[in-house]
Amino acid sequence: MKTHFVYTNRRPSLVTLITFASLPVCLLFAQPTSPQGTPGKSTGHVVTGDLVREGAVNLTQLANAPSEATSKAGKEIDPNRRPLLRPPVRDSGAVLERAPAPLAPEAAPTATPNFRGFTGLTHLEQRSARGGNQFNHEPPDQGLAVGNGLILEAVNSALNVYDTNGIQQLVRPLALSEFFGLPAALNRTTGVIGVIAGDPVALFDPETQRWFVAAWAQLNTNTGAPLRASRLYLAVSQTNDPTGDYFIYVLNTTQANNPDRGGPRVPDFPHFAVDHYGLYISINEFGINPDGSPGDFIDAAILAVSKQALITGGGGSFPPVVRFPLPFTSGFEFTVFPAYTPPGCGPLLANNGTQFFVSSHFVNTSENSLAIWALTNTRSLDSPTPDLNLSAVAVNTQAFHFPTGAAVQKKGFHPLGDSLGEPVEKLDPGDFRVISATYSCGRLWATLGSEMLDGQGTRRFVAEYFAFHPQINFPFFTATLVTQGIVSRTGANLLYPAIAVNAQQQGGIVFTLVGPDNYPSAAFVPVRNTSVGPIQIARAGNEPEDGFSGYPEFGGNGVARWGDYSGAAIDTDGVAYMATEYTPDIARVLLANWCTYITRLKP
């Protein structure tokens, strides 16, 4: 069954509910609060004065400037580390299924994929950025943007730019704090703690030839005590050169006086996309307790702002941000992931501009439906009074299951753990939120992580993928399931899958592969139309994850943070680039040994 629901930033009209015997669709033109399992009401509104431009920066000049001096004094770990935040789910009592072979309506490719790659940012580089005035962070949280043969990669607190051979285009990696014009995360000479930005995301817009980078932070005192305030930082390049000039914007995301009475909040897990008219940021909002610690889940939200105004700097009065709060009434209102549009398809101009999003049902531990969201009339973002409509349709899919436990990794040399007398850690598999989406020439792809039984009847973590064909012919909005499947390997776990396909529906799904016989490795499956090929190891790991986050001595429980998300994007020549976390045997610092690997997959 498909259920249709609509959100708008206009004043709600009378509710009209129509059911058609010939069409399995329910249409709501405006809606009251709905019971669990069906969508609730939300109205977008303009947030005035919250988005400001705070200057400009040149990446090459920053990288060429002398590094800040540092001593070895100071804390090593961010004092306000956040767990993976999610709303509560209830145990549905469903029985796990066995993971089948990937669904392949067409014959799977038999030729060996044409791929190569290189090690991207490492924990050592992140920790050493800005003269070492950084904290240790894990996991890396992958931000990946690709365009014109150049790759911009951002991880939790650093970024770099490469060519297709992995040659660095900056003389050194930059700290995110440098990039966004913030004080150092930690001044190791004075002990003063600055703004600790994280959860970075990046994209290249082939239409305007501009690069976008975003990250968020909860503010704190100079001793590191968390405050009940948050910000989202956004950089927009002024040319097609990712190493050149950027405008820097700051969005106040605290929303302390929001009518929902949720109080101060943080914009967790931000991801964004662009269409012809706008930039769209999806976030999960969690409250901030009086002591500054993370509070309960409040809602999901979508923020929309004129792309052209961001590129030009806004001129006079800055354009409004339209905010769609999405209260958790149906269970689909969590991590409403925006769809990336690759080169060669162009943004969807129908319905005066359309941007798609995807989210999973997030209520029970076993689910079988996704929501397809459409934000329409995005052209109005270039007007003084934006008039957007947000609609969604829920579609039944194959089952997916909330990951329980943790991923076992191969035992091996782990000097930090050995020094503490601890065994090799396990890895956090995350949950079953949607963690990537791509809209390519009429087909909307999405991936998520799930738990199933492998061929030996053992619980394993798998990668699930889906493709839909959304259609909007007002007042009708439908989405048809085109294909779906499960990528799995007996005896191994696949963590944090991300997909990107080009205009010919060719690309790949990237993930970390790890298990009792595998160190954390960068792996992928090729995608060709509606089929996927066999698992390929792009770069095998050489040792276990041995970072601080899982060890009890650092507040862990034996399960290390991992991934949070991978990244995938398409270059202007149709080649796919995919990035994920792995563990090679290379130079490290005491508290962590993760690295990222960037795979180039040619169709």
Side-chain angles (χ1 to χ4, degrees):
M1 184 185 76
K2 301 170 187 167
T3 303
H4 183 86
F5 40 102
V6 177
Y7 301 78
T8 178
N9 71 317
R10 293 177 291 184
R11 179 178 299 173
S13 60
L14 294 177
V15 174
T16 305
L17 177 61
I18 309 173
T19 303
F20 295 89
S22 59
L23 292 173
V25 179
C26 296
L27 304 177
L28 279 125
F29 298 102
Q31 38 318 57
T33 300
S34 304
Q36 189 71 29
T38 58
K41 174 184 176 181
S42 180
T43 300
H45 61 273
V46 173
V47 180
T48 58
D50 283 358
L51 180 67
V52 297
R53 200 181 88 190
E54 291 208 344
V57 68
N58 181 282
L59 260 63
T60 298
Q61 292 175 4
L62 275 180
N64 290 337
S67 296
E68 298 176 29
T70 179
S71 72
K72 297 298 182 182
K75 302 176 181 178
E76 289 296 327
I77 299 171
D78 176 1
N80 300 313
R81 286 183 291 152
R82 293 178 299 273
L84 184 63
L85 301 176
R86 54 195 174 212
V89 295
R90 55 177 181 257
D91 187 355
S92 57
V95 177
L96 286 182
E97 304 169 42
R98 288 185 181 272
L103 180 65
E106 300 178 357
T110 56
T112 301
N114 183 0
F115 70 93
R116 56 184 171 85
F118 59 90
T119 293
L121 281 164
T122 71
H123 177 265
L124 174 61
E125 290 178 319
Q126 176 182 264
R127 170 62 179 78
S128 303
R130 200 166 186 173
N133 290 287
Q134 295 265 85
F135 285 110
N136 289 281
H137 284 285
E138 63 175 5
D141 292 345
Q142 180 62 238
L144 182 72
V146 181
N148 300 330
L150 294 172
I151 301 140
L152 187 153
E153 183 190 27
V155 296
N156 234 331
S157 60
L159 63 82
N160 209 342
V161 179
Y162 308 90
D163 68 10
T164 57
N165 295 311
I167 304 301
Q168 297 186 29
Q169 303 301 292
L170 300 172
V171 297
R172 63 180 177 88
L174 291 171
L176 289 187
S177 58
E178 292 178 276
F179 184 36
F180 291 118
L182 302 170
L186 172 63
N187 185 315
R188 292 185 172 275
T189 302
T190 65
V192 171
I193 295 176
V195 178
I196 307 168
D199 261 8
V201 286
L203 66 83
F204 174 73
D205 176 25
E207 185 181 38
T208 62
Q209 296 284 296
R210 295 296 187 269
W211 301 78
F212 297 80
V213 184
W216 75 272
Q218 181 179 347
L219 304 186
N220 48 259
T221 67
N222 60 13
T223 62
L227 298 173
R228 302 188 78 192
S230 66
R231 299 290 186 270
L232 191 142
Y233 303 95
L234 174 64
V236 182
S237 74
Q238 296 178 45
T239 70
N240 65 353
D241 179 6
T243 69
D245 294 322
Y246 287 77
F247 286 134
I248 302 297
Y249 300 93
V250 181
L251 178 65
N252 186 341
T253 49
T254 305
Q255 292 286 312
N257 299 316
N258 194 284
D260 63 19
R261 299 184 180 180
R265 66 204 66 196
V266 296
D268 189 53
F269 211 71
H271 286 82
F272 61 8
V274 294
D275 74 350
H276 183 69
Y277 302 105
L279 179 138
Y280 312 97
I281 307 169
S282 71
I283 55 177
N284 294 325
E285 296 188 318
F286 287 84
I288 307 175
N289 293 326
D291 65 356
S293 63
D296 294 333
F297 178 65
I298 299 174
D299 59 17
I302 294 173
L303 310 172
V305 64
S306 165
K307 182 175 72 174
Q308 196 60 37
L310 290 170
I311 290 172
T312 61
S317 59
F318 202 74
V321 175
V322 178
R323 179 178 179 273
F324 279 87
L326 305 174
F328 194 69
T329 54
S330 73
F332 289 107
E333 299 86 0
F334 183 71
T335 306
V336 182
F337 208 100
Y340 159 75
T341 300
C345 286
L348 187 59
L349 300 180
N351 312 300
N352 291 319
T354 300
Q355 171 64 40
F356 290 110
F357 304 75
V358 189
S359 66
S360 59
H361 203 226
F362 219 94
V363 177
N364 298 303
T365 54
S366 291
E367 293 288 357
N368 65 339
S369 58
L370 297 182
I372 312 304
W373 306 72
L375 187 64
T376 56
N377 199 32
T378 60
R379 183 174 65 178
S380 68
L381 284 169
D382 287 331
S383 71
T385 56
D387 183 17
L388 305 176
N389 299 292
L390 181 61
S391 307
V393 58
V395 183
N396 287 341
T397 65
Q398 65 194 12
F400 47 92
H401 305 281
F402 196 95
T404 60
V408 174
Q409 56 176 338
K410 183 178 178 180
K411 293 180 172 60
F413 180 61
H414 61 300
L416 176 60
D418 272 342
S419 71
L420 301 170
E422 297 291 347
V424 169
E425 303 168 301
K426 298 178 181 179
L427 302 185
D428 177 11
D431 50 45
F432 58 27
R433 73 185 75 188
V434 171
I435 46 179
S436 77
T438 296
Y439 179 74
S440 178
C441 299
R443 190 173 294 174
L444 179 60
W445 293 86
T447 63
L448 53 80
S450 177
E451 180 180 274
M452 290 195 177
L453 300 179
D454 67 13
Q456 299 172 344
T458 303
R459 288 173 179 260
R460 299 292 182 199
F461 306 115
V462 303
E464 300 205 29
Y465 64 91
F466 312 84
F468 304 91
H469 177 52
Q471 288 185 295
I472 305 173
N473 296 297
F474 282 114
F476 303 104
F477 174 28
T478 62
T480 304
L481 186 63
V482 176
T483 189
Q484 58 184 344
I486 300 168
V487 183
S488 63
R489 172 174 284 188
T490 296
N493 299 288
L494 312 182
L495 308 181
Y496 299 98
I499 188 171
V501 297
N502 61 22
Q504 290 73 44
Q505 308 299 322
Q506 298 181 42
I509 302 172
V510 66
F511 40 80
T512 296
L513 185 149
V514 63
D517 300 319
N518 299 94
Y519 297 124
S521 304
F524 71 94
V525 292
V527 175
R528 189 177 185 86
N529 199 359
T530 55
S531 67
V532 303
I535 293 175
Q536 307 288 327
I537 303 293
R539 176 61 165 87
N542 302 112
E543 60 188 24
E545 147 73 14
D546 184 38
F548 67 90
S549 63
Y551 293 124
E553 290 80 0
F554 298 97
N557 62 354
V559 179
R561 291 293 298 276
W562 190 263
D564 272 13
Y565 44 95
S566 301
I570 303 296
D571 201 353
T572 42
D573 59 0
V575 173
Y577 288 82
M578 305 173 291
T580 194
E581 187 178 5
Y582 84 116
T583 50
D585 181 14
I586 61 176
R588 59 169 291 175
V589 299
L590 174 65
L591 292 181
N593 65 330
W594 58 258
C595 297
T596 64
Y597 194 77
I598 299 174
T599 301
R600 178 184 185 271
L601 175 61
K602 188 174 181 180

